[in-house]
């Protein structure tokens, strides 16, 4: 399998974290690209977005939640592990809800960052305020529900939240979005996992 990714993309990072948590990193060739300029990406994904996973049969799988679901299925089929996505009941719904919140939060963070780089006369205060509110309210929801995030071996929801929170720090190192000490402590407990260390956000090489 081949995974097209960008090191600044939170959705790419989520997939790369999940692949490592499932022990699949050795089966995936990771190809770092600039999705804005790489013509090869559009040959596989009409949206020209990362992450894009190309399977052995040439099929391209895109959208991070779909890729993670596929990787979880692959891992379950090849081992006795329980996977990263709970299979039933409230535990499954809880994990997928946290993933959904995190995905929306990451999208809002990226949009807000991109808009902040536009000339002032090209910005929409309404759109920026809306994205800012989405990020802050997501952080508040995580603060309020942190006890429901999986303990022990983290699941898709827990890891998605971790990737989303670190993305906020990556894009806004000035502290625009304040995170509580409790939330920082929770993040620190996950930050030392090999999957998190190996996939840290960084800018594309110049």
């Amino acid at each position: 399998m081949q995974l097209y990714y960008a090191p600044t993309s939170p959705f790419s990072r989520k997939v790369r974290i999940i692949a490592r948590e499932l022990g699949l990193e050795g089966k995936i060739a990771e190809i770092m690209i600039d999705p804005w300029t790489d013509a090869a990406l559009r040959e596989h994904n009409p949206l020209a977005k990362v992450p894009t996973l190309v399977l052995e049969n040439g099929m391209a799988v895109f959208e991070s939640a779909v890729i993670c679901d596929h990787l979880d299925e692959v891992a379950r089929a090849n081992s006795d592990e329980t996977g990263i996505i709970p299979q039933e009941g409230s535990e499954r719904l809880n994990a997928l809800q946290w993933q959904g919140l995190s995905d929306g939060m990451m999208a809002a963070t990226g949009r807000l960052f991109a808009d902040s780089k536009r000339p002032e006369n090209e910005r929409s205060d309404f759109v920026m305020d809306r994205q800012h509110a989405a990020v802050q309210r997501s952080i508040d929801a995580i603060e309020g529900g942190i006890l429901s995030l999986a303990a022990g071996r983290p699941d898709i929801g827990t890891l998605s939240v971790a990737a989303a929170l670190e993305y906020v720090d990556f894009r806004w190192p000035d502290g625009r979005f304040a995170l509580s000490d409790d939330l920082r402590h929770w993040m620190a407990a996950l930050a030392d996992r090999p999957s998190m260390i190996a996939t840290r956000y960084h800018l594309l090489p110049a």
Side-chain angles (χ1 to χ4, degrees), residues 53-165:
L53 181 70
V54 181
L55 306 183
E56 291 88 342
N57 63 5
M59 178 182 178
V61 182
F62 33 92
E63 296 302 316
S64 64
V66 180
I67 295 173
C68 288
D69 184 74
H70 175 71
L71 294 180
D72 188 74
E73 184 178 45
V74 170
R76 289 175 186 275
N78 291 284
S79 75
D80 295 328
E81 294 291 335
T82 57
I84 211 76
I85 303 175
Q87 294 297 287
E88 58 187 8
S90 59
E91 185 181 5
R92 175 180 173 81
L93 182 58
N94 182 66
L96 294 179
Q97 279 285 87
W98 281 120
Q99 178 184 210
L101 177 72
S102 300
D103 284 357
M105 178 180 169
M106 292 188 291
T109 302
R111 176 68 183 277
L112 182 63
F113 176 78
D115 285 351
S116 74
K117 299 301 181 183
R118 294 177 181 271
E120 287 191 20
N121 64 341
E122 295 181 12
R123 300 177 191 171
S124 166
D125 289 340
F126 172 78
V127 171
M128 292 186 71
D129 288 346
R130 183 177 177 82
Q131 301 303 328
H132 189 282
V135 176
Q136 186 59 62
R137 287 181 178 272
S138 296
I139 293 171
D140 294 343
I142 294 168
E143 295 261 15
I146 197 168
L147 293 179
S148 72
L149 289 165
R153 186 189 182 198
D155 61 22
I156 185 72
T158 304
L159 295 166
S160 296
V161 168
L165 290 172

